[in-house]
Amino acid sequence: MNFFWIFIALSGVLAVIMGAMSAHVLKDIMQAEDITRIHTAATYQMYHTLMIAILATCSQRISFKSIDQSIWLFIGGIVLFSGSLYLYTLTKLHGFVFVTPVGGVLLMLGWLSVARLAFVFAKLK
């Protein structure tokens, strides 16, 4: 559980840093397409970091293995999706573009996992 909260804190601060850098520092030295890519990565990272925080809070009250599964899918998605966008934009190493869709799929699976949780909890009532 502590790992999740450490990840949430570090992911949140990184999303804020990258968002601020794309809006202020990098806007004068990067092309608009690169700024947009970083902004997209930071936005997705923050949304999913907040979802992890919600799930981590729920898992403190309800011990349910599927909650952790959803969290891990979101963590993997953030690392691969946002991480590859940051790394590609900053290094221009083309190989990173092949990692981004894998991260996107993990984010989608995270949301589907949350939907499954909703169905399981509905059956428990």
Side-chain angles (χ1 to χ4, degrees), residues 10-84:
L10 295 177
S11 182
V13 76
L14 180 62
V16 171
I17 289 168
M18 295 305 287
M21 285 184 60
S22 70
H24 302 291
V25 177
L26 301 175
K27 69 177 182 160
D28 296 328
I29 58 175
M30 287 189 161
Q31 296 177 1
E33 179 180 291
D34 292 331
I35 298 301
T36 301
R37 192 177 298 113
I38 289 176
H39 181 74
T40 298
T43 301
Y44 274 64
Q45 182 175 355
M46 185 56 79
Y47 288 152
H48 291 91
T49 298
L50 291 172
M51 188 58 184
I52 293 169
I54 292 167
L55 291 169
T57 301
C58 290
S59 72
Q60 289 177 331
R61 296 176 182 203
I62 304 167
S63 179
F64 204 68
K65 189 175 183 177
S66 294
I67 294 175
D68 286 356
Q69 177 187 7
S70 299
I71 291 171
W72 282 111
L73 287 166
F74 285 130
I75 287 173
I78 288 170
V79 170
L80 296 179
F81 181 83
S82 296
S84 66

Side-chain angles (χ1 to χ4, degrees), residues 64 66 70 111-125:
F64 204 68
S66 294
S70 299
W111 287 107
L112 291 173
S113 180
V114 169
R116 186 182 74 184
L117 282 169
F119 286 116
V120 168
F121 287 142
K123 287 182 181 181
L124 294 176
K125 287 187 172 184

